[in-house]
Amino acid sequence: MVSPAKKRQTGCPIAFGLDTFGDRWSLLIIRDLMLKHKKTYREFLDADEAIATNILADRLKHLETEGIIKKSRDPENRRSFLYSLTEKGCDLAPIILEIIQWSGKYDLRTFARRDVLKRIEKDRDAVIAEIRSGQADKDNQTIGSHRTKSPR
Amino acid sequence: MVSPAKKRQTGCPIAFGLDTFGDRWSLLIIRDLMLKHKKTYREFLDADEAIATNILADRLKHLETEGIIKKSRDPENRRSFLYSLTEKGCDLAPIILEIIQWSGKYDLRTFARRDVLKRIEKDRDAVIAEIRSGQADKDNQTIGSHRTKSPR
DNA sequence: AAAATAACTTGCAAAAAGCAAGTTGTGTCT
DNA sequence: AGACACAACTTGCTTTTTGCAAGTTATTTT
């Protein structure tokens, strides 16, 4: 198995965070779930950063094991699966937003536009609430009924 | 050269952040600078997580190139150097604090104690201010003589 | 002057990442 | 029904990065 980050077991909260979501790819998957409304394996594969398929499979497994994401069958297409953030995963939103703000300040080429940054700054809680509501139901999600298209 | 993270150049702020400080070790060095008052090569080497010396050298170089940390001679001992956070590095504090809070919520074994978490929650700005004041002077510091007040 | 210390560098083996091709379980089309 | 397509992986192999041990250079310290 290709493991992402063996546990450092040092008791430090930063090390703990790095071990669970801090490798070269995990946060990008989380970003896709959180901000780009991606849900399927194929959508993650097609990200601009071009993750390799075996690495993607490994990271999804790892994140699921860590309880950051969950996997469920697509009720409308039995050959595909839908990934979504758990509560624990949604709680990473503040970290993601802080990274966006830092990069917004220091990366001149970043695509994070002024308006997005301003929104995060002024309406942080609403942004986070939207992220949460964008994920499937906390408990037993998307059973039967139509996939509610993500509200645009 | 052992490179930490080749630039993904995708324009995404998350990818940018990961490329500059998001590898398996960089954030731990930043943590040591920010929260543990470590300043020298040896102090970083002695961290609980046991970073290899070649990797440490590489990461310090990378972080310096990225403008996150700066290196200066120790005025009191000419064989050692002092590393400190730049303004850009100090601006990572909110990210670090969010990671600590997340781990504080989800890692039962974490050493981040209640009081620390509470302090971050209630007094966030003061904590960040302390981190800033803990670093060497912003401008041209520790050159030969005693620490002179930087004209600002 | 010899030993110790700080900050690295070098060389090599082991682990992880990256790439291409193959597999399995569904749907879809004719 | 049979052939093809597609989603989600898995496998095998090469390249890159990491981790470890030992060595180097420039100061102190004894």
Side-chain angles (χ1 to χ4, degrees), chain A:
Chain A
M1 179 198 174
V2 189
S3 83
K6 25 186 177 211
K7 288 283 176 179
R8 262 166 288 222
Q9 285 278 50
T10 168
C12 165
I14 302 297
F16 178 80
L18 287 172
D19 288 342
T20 44
F21 58 78
D23 76 283
R24 191 168 158 64
W25 291 109
S26 296
L27 265 192
L28 293 178
I29 296 171
I30 292 165
R31 168 206 63 183
D32 284 347
L33 281 161
M34 205 171 267
L35 304 168
K36 299 195 170 182
H37 305 103
K38 295 189 179 183
K39 292 168 291 297
T40 66
Y41 193 90
R42 175 127 292 278
E43 288 172 321
F44 300 132
L45 258 192
D46 293 343
D48 288 340
E49 289 86 4
I51 186 172
T53 173
N54 53 339
I55 305 295
L56 174 59
D58 178 72
R59 293 307 183 274
L60 287 171
K61 203 173 293 175
H62 177 70
L63 289 172
E64 200 185 354
T65 301
E66 295 290 345
I68 305 286
I69 65 176
K70 57 184 183 295
K71 183 182 179 181
S72 59
R73 281 199 168 277
D74 183 341
E76 288 174 5
N77 183 348
R78 279 189 51 80
R79 62 188 159 167
S80 84
F81 292 90
L82 300 176
Y83 290 93
S84 60
L85 291 165
T86 60
E87 166 94 22
K88 188 173 178 180
C90 287
D91 281 343
L92 293 169
I95 298 171
I96 295 282
L97 296 185
E98 288 294 350
I99 295 173
I100 291 173
Q101 290 187 297
W102 185 88
S103 294
K105 181 168 179 182
Y106 290 108
D107 180 14
L108 302 176
R109 321 180 193 195
T110 196
F111 290 167
R113 312 200 163 289
R114 284 263 169 68
D115 51 331
V116 176
L117 292 171
K118 212 147 216 163
R119 176 102 208 283
I120 293 174
E121 198 176 336
K122 300 181 75 165
D123 237 13
R124 199 185 168 80
D125 293 345
V127 172
I128 292 175
E130 271 172 36
I131 288 168
R132 286 181 190 285
S133 72
Q135 301 310 128
D137 288 331
K138 270 38 170 204
D139 308 311
N140 213 356
Q141 79 293 4
T142 42
I143 307 264
S145 60
H146 294 289
R147 177 158 21 138
T148 38
K149 228 185 138 204
S150 40
R152 358 179 0 169

Side-chain angles (χ1 to χ4, degrees), chain B residues 50-69:
Chain B
I51 186 171
T53 173
N54 55 339
I55 304 294
L56 174 59
D58 179 71
R59 293 305 184 274
L60 288 171
K61 203 173 291 173
H62 178 69
L63 288 172
E64 200 185 355
T65 302
E66 295 290 344
I68 305 285
I69 65 177

Side-chain angles (χ1 to χ4, degrees), chain B:
Chain B
M1 179 200 175
V2 189
S3 82
K6 27 184 181 235
K7 288 282 177 183
R8 260 166 289 222
Q9 284 279 51
T10 168
C12 165
I14 302 296
F16 178 79
L18 288 172
D19 287 343
T20 43
F21 58 79
D23 77 281
R24 190 168 158 64
W25 292 109
S26 297
L27 266 192
L28 293 178
I29 296 171
I30 293 165
R31 169 206 63 183
D32 285 346
L33 282 160
M34 204 171 267
L35 304 169
K36 299 197 172 182
H37 306 103
K38 295 190 180 183
K39 292 169 291 297
T40 66
Y41 194 90
R42 176 128 291 278
E43 288 171 322
F44 299 132
L45 259 193
D46 293 342
D48 288 340
E49 290 85 5
I51 186 171
T53 173
N54 55 339
I55 304 294
L56 174 59
D58 179 71
R59 293 305 184 274
L60 288 171
K61 203 173 291 173
H62 178 69
L63 288 172
E64 200 185 355
T65 302
E66 295 290 344
I68 305 285
I69 65 177
K70 56 184 184 297
K71 183 183 179 179
S72 60
R73 279 197 167 281
D74 183 340
E76 287 171 10
N77 183 347
R78 279 188 53 77
R79 65 189 157 167
S80 83
F81 292 91
L82 300 177
Y83 290 92
S84 60
L85 290 166
T86 60
E87 167 93 24
K88 189 173 177 180
C90 288
D91 280 343
L92 293 170
I95 298 171
I96 295 282
L97 296 186
E98 289 293 350
I99 295 173
I100 291 173
Q101 291 188 297
W102 185 87
S103 294
K105 181 166 178 182
Y106 289 109
D107 181 13
L108 301 177
R109 322 180 191 194
T110 196
F111 290 169
R113 287 149 310 152
R114 283 264 169 68
D115 52 330
V116 175
L117 293 170
K118 211 144 218 167
R119 175 101 209 283
I120 293 173
E121 198 177 335
K122 299 181 77 167
D123 238 12
R124 198 186 170 78
D125 292 346
V127 172
I128 292 175
E130 270 173 37
I131 287 169
R132 286 181 190 285
S133 71
Q135 300 310 128
D137 288 330
K138 283 354 174 244
D139 306 313
N140 211 359
Q141 81 292 11
T142 46
I143 304 264
S145 60
H146 315 114
R147 181 138 42 125
T148 49
K149 243 187 217 152
S150 48
R152 168 57 266 235

